[in-house]
Amino acid sequence: MIFLALFFSCRSGKGKSDDKFVEVYGEVLLLSEKFSSDSLLLKAKVDSLLKSKKMSYQQFDSLSRVYSENPKRWVEFFDKVKRYIDEKSSNASRNR
């Protein structure tokens, strides 16, 4: 649960870094849901994701704090994350 709390306090910069962080954050949420019953596997999957995106936990946490400190920005960011997840889910449904 502490691990997930880290992921729900989100931040980022502008432009491309926003888009990248929306994707990473969305993927972390999806992984959190998929592997909620196995915290060790969840950590391994998140580690792998962050490594593939060339992002450290410190960078993820730092970006998270930027958004969480500004409620308006947080809402805008999380709307983008929701759209990302919805698109990904929709694409997965079409490919089945």
Side-chain angles (χ1 to χ4, degrees):
M1 202 46 105
I2 294 171
F3 188 72
L4 292 178
L6 189 156
F7 295 112
F8 288 113
S9 60
C10 194
R11 315 178 155 202
S12 180
K14 298 270 185 197
K16 279 192 172 190
S17 62
D18 276 351
D19 294 342
K20 178 182 176 183
F21 194 58
V22 164
E23 180 182 337
V24 171
Y25 194 85
E27 291 295 329
V28 167
L29 291 178
L30 292 169
L31 289 170
S32 296
E33 183 176 325
K34 185 174 182 178
F35 299 104
S36 63
S37 63
D38 188 339
S39 62
L40 293 177
L41 185 55
L42 173 59
K43 183 177 181 336
K45 294 289 186 177
V46 171
D47 286 347
S48 178
L49 170 68
L50 292 177
K51 185 175 181 179
S52 74
K53 299 297 183 180
K54 296 177 175 50
M55 183 179 285
S56 69
Y57 277 104
Q58 293 79 10
Q59 289 169 315
F60 186 92
D61 185 52
S62 176
L63 292 171
S64 296
R65 276 185 258 118
V66 168
Y67 283 111
S68 67
E69 290 170 356
N70 182 330
K72 182 180 178 191
R73 192 169 183 200
W74 172 252
V75 169
E76 291 169 1
F77 169 76
F78 208 77
D79 284 345
K80 290 179 186 178
V81 171
K82 184 180 179 322
R83 281 193 301 274
Y84 172 82
I85 290 172
D86 290 345
E87 277 183 35
K88 186 161 181 144
S89 297
S90 177
N91 289 339
S93 294
R94 279 187 238 137
N95 292 331
R96 289 185 185 174

